[in-house]
Amino acid sequence: RNTRKLRRIVMSMRPDIDRAVEKLFGYTFFLDRPTPKRLANWRTKAQQAAATGSGFAFHGYAQTKFSGIIDRLSTITHDAAPELGLADCSLIAVRLREHLASEGLETLSDESGGASQQAIAFFRAHDIAFRIRRLQLLARRLSRDWESDPEIPDAALDLARWRINSILAIYQQADKHAISGPEFKRLALQVMERPGDVLDYLEKTRLLPETDLRAEGALSDALEAMPRNLKRRMLLTYLGFPYYDIATLPLFQNDTGSEYNPIKIDRISPDDARSIREGGTRATLRGIEFYNFGAFFSRAYRENDYLWGRLHGAERMIDLVASTLEEPLEAAVITSAKRAVFLAILDEEEAQDRCANGIIDTIRAEVIERLG
């Protein structure tokens, strides 16, 4: 229910936020080449405008962000140091808060209504969740909101989705690298006495501001390859995200992550498996005859459809696995894998004598001709 509410809120806010971003930068900025330096400047300007324009709401938003960061920092520290014997991470969270208060983070906002300089430094160093939520919103828009738009080519959407997931991986890898080493475990064991050491280590190891530069370099390359209408929507969403986050994070703190995670559905169908023979279902299956009862009346039809079922299933499994890789495989590698699997299936069926040799020989010849 909360997910549906959040979606309605985000959709209702979109026209106003788009106008706010266009007013902030001017309508012509979409024609500029989005270099990493420009993206960083645009991002900073949009975040400042969203913070100062949100009025009293910003304080609650900043506190929500701060609490979320402390919760995660205390959780990963607790997980890295079970030898402390703590029942949960609450005492670690208290120590981290006490340390940060002593460093000047009793309050997070300044007189102008935006974030204080200490809060800005803390968020830049530790707020990885904000970066991930922003990219997840882009991924959700690509996978749901813009997928049915006839003005945007499917190939452009697929490439953009792959690029966004690759950028997400940059942040996830930086986070994983920081908390998986023995040094973090050593510091985690001392967190109750030296909480600042844990924070300093994570700041220097994750290097989120530097990671932002890498991520925005990859994003600028991705935007450069997009058609203009998709690039414009991506920029409006990326730069407008602080407005969305300020409005929604305090309301649905525990639900925003799942809302922005796209769910991709892959189909296993003869119409999607065309490496051996074009034409899909009608070109390969015989059971569709006689109003889809053809296989009931013919053993040859059943053998044909059974064999093609194995081949189609194998092809789709290879495609699905390949689609999950961070670095895409070359087409020749995928073709070679499919050829080897197809021939192995045909050899196995021939040895088991489950299908007529004529069917096997025909398909084997097609595999060799199409795939080399």
Side-chain angles (χ1 to χ4, degrees):
R1 181 178 299 175
N2 284 345
T3 296
R4 291 195 298 270
K5 287 182 180 178
L6 179 58
R7 177 168 168 77
R8 287 196 297 268
I9 291 173
V10 169
M11 290 182 66
S12 66
M13 293 170 59
R14 186 180 307 168
D16 291 335
I17 291 177
D18 287 352
R19 283 192 293 271
V21 172
E22 289 177 336
K23 182 178 180 181
L24 184 64
F25 295 100
Y27 294 101
T28 60
F29 96 99
F30 295 107
L31 303 178
D32 294 335
R33 183 175 182 269
T35 64
K37 184 177 180 179
R38 283 175 177 168
L39 275 178
N41 291 335
W42 293 343
R43 167 175 52 83
T44 301
K45 185 176 180 179
Q47 289 178 194
Q48 291 173 347
T52 56
S54 60
F56 293 109
F58 181 78
H59 184 71
Y61 168 70
Q63 287 293 337
T64 303
K65 274 166 61 87
F66 182 74
S67 296
I69 296 169
I70 294 298
D71 287 345
R72 185 171 189 280
L73 290 173
S74 59
T75 297
I76 61 177
T77 304
H78 178 263
D79 291 344
E83 294 86 349
L84 290 175
L86 300 175
D88 54 38
C89 62
S90 57
L91 291 178
I92 297 176
V94 171
R95 289 294 293 124
L96 293 177
R97 285 179 178 274
E98 291 174 347
H99 170 77
L100 291 169
S102 69
E103 295 290 312
L105 272 175
E106 298 97 337
T107 59
L108 300 174
S109 56
D110 59 16
E111 295 178 356
S112 68
S116 65
Q117 290 302 312
Q118 295 93 332
I120 291 173
F122 178 75
F123 291 147
R124 283 178 176 170
H126 296 290
D127 195 3
I128 193 170
F130 176 87
R131 278 97 161 171
I132 289 176
R133 287 196 303 273
R134 180 170 56 199
L135 292 167
Q136 287 176 334
L137 176 59
L138 288 173
R140 187 182 69 83
R141 292 276 175 87
L142 288 164
S143 297
R144 180 186 297 174
D145 299 349
W146 302 331
E147 194 168 36
S148 60
D149 192 328
E151 296 182 358
I152 303 177
D154 289 342
L157 289 170
D158 289 340
L159 180 59
R161 278 190 287 262
W162 178 80
R163 291 288 186 90
I164 293 302
N165 286 329
S166 299
I167 298 169
L168 270 168
I170 293 175
Y171 288 106
Q172 292 163 346
Q173 289 167 2
D175 193 43
K176 182 179 179 181
H177 170 72
I179 67 177
S180 61
E183 181 64 11
F184 180 66
K185 180 178 178 64
R186 183 184 70 80
L187 295 173
L189 290 169
Q190 304 173 20
V191 67
M192 302 305 291
E193 296 80 25
R194 304 172 64 91
D197 289 354
V198 172
L199 297 174
D200 291 342
Y201 171 81
L202 290 173
E203 178 178 355
K204 294 175 182 178
T205 306
R206 289 192 295 194
L207 295 172
L208 289 184
E210 288 80 357
T211 304
D212 289 338
L213 296 178
R214 290 176 53 209
E216 285 176 332
L219 181 59
S220 66
D221 291 340
L223 291 168
E224 186 71 17
M226 292 178 190
R228 181 174 296 180
N229 57 350
L230 179 57
K231 179 171 71 173
R232 179 180 181 277
R233 297 184 191 194
M234 291 283 286
L235 280 171
L236 283 171
T237 302
Y238 186 77
L239 298 176
F241 177 73
Y243 294 90
Y244 292 111
D245 209 43
I246 288 172
T248 59
L249 186 65
L251 296 176
F252 300 102
Q253 182 179 358
N254 297 324
D255 297 294
T256 52
S258 60
E259 165 66 10
Y260 292 145
N261 278 323
I263 299 174
K264 185 173 182 179
I265 299 174
D266 282 296
R267 184 175 67 170
I268 299 178
S269 166
D271 292 328
D272 302 314
R274 298 168 179 260
S275 294
I276 301 175
R277 185 184 295 177
E278 291 289 345
T281 300
R282 293 189 176 280
T284 56
L285 303 187
R286 303 300 301 274
I288 62 173
E289 299 180 16
F290 301 110
Y291 300 96
N292 293 321
F293 282 91
F296 281 87
F297 305 109
S298 170
R299 177 185 177 87
Y301 282 14
R302 290 195 295 275
E303 291 176 354
N304 176 84
D305 291 3
Y306 158 77
L307 183 55
W308 276 109
R310 286 200 65 186
L311 296 168
H312 290 153
E315 178 175 352
R316 292 299 294 138
M317 288 298 102
I318 293 173
D319 289 336
L320 298 185
V321 171
S323 72
T324 66
L325 301 178
E326 294 179 3
E327 295 292 334
L329 294 174
E330 295 182 2
V333 175
I334 297 176
T335 298
S336 176
K338 289 181 179 180
R339 181 184 188 278
V341 170
F342 293 155
L343 293 178
I345 290 173
L346 294 170
D347 290 344
E348 180 182 286
E349 292 300 332
E350 186 174 46
Q352 295 294 327
D353 197 27
R354 280 191 287 256
C355 300
N357 286 338
I359 299 174
I360 294 174
D361 292 341
T362 298
I363 298 177
R364 183 184 285 118
E366 291 185 58
V367 170
I368 295 172
E369 180 181 356
R370 289 287 299 267
L371 306 181

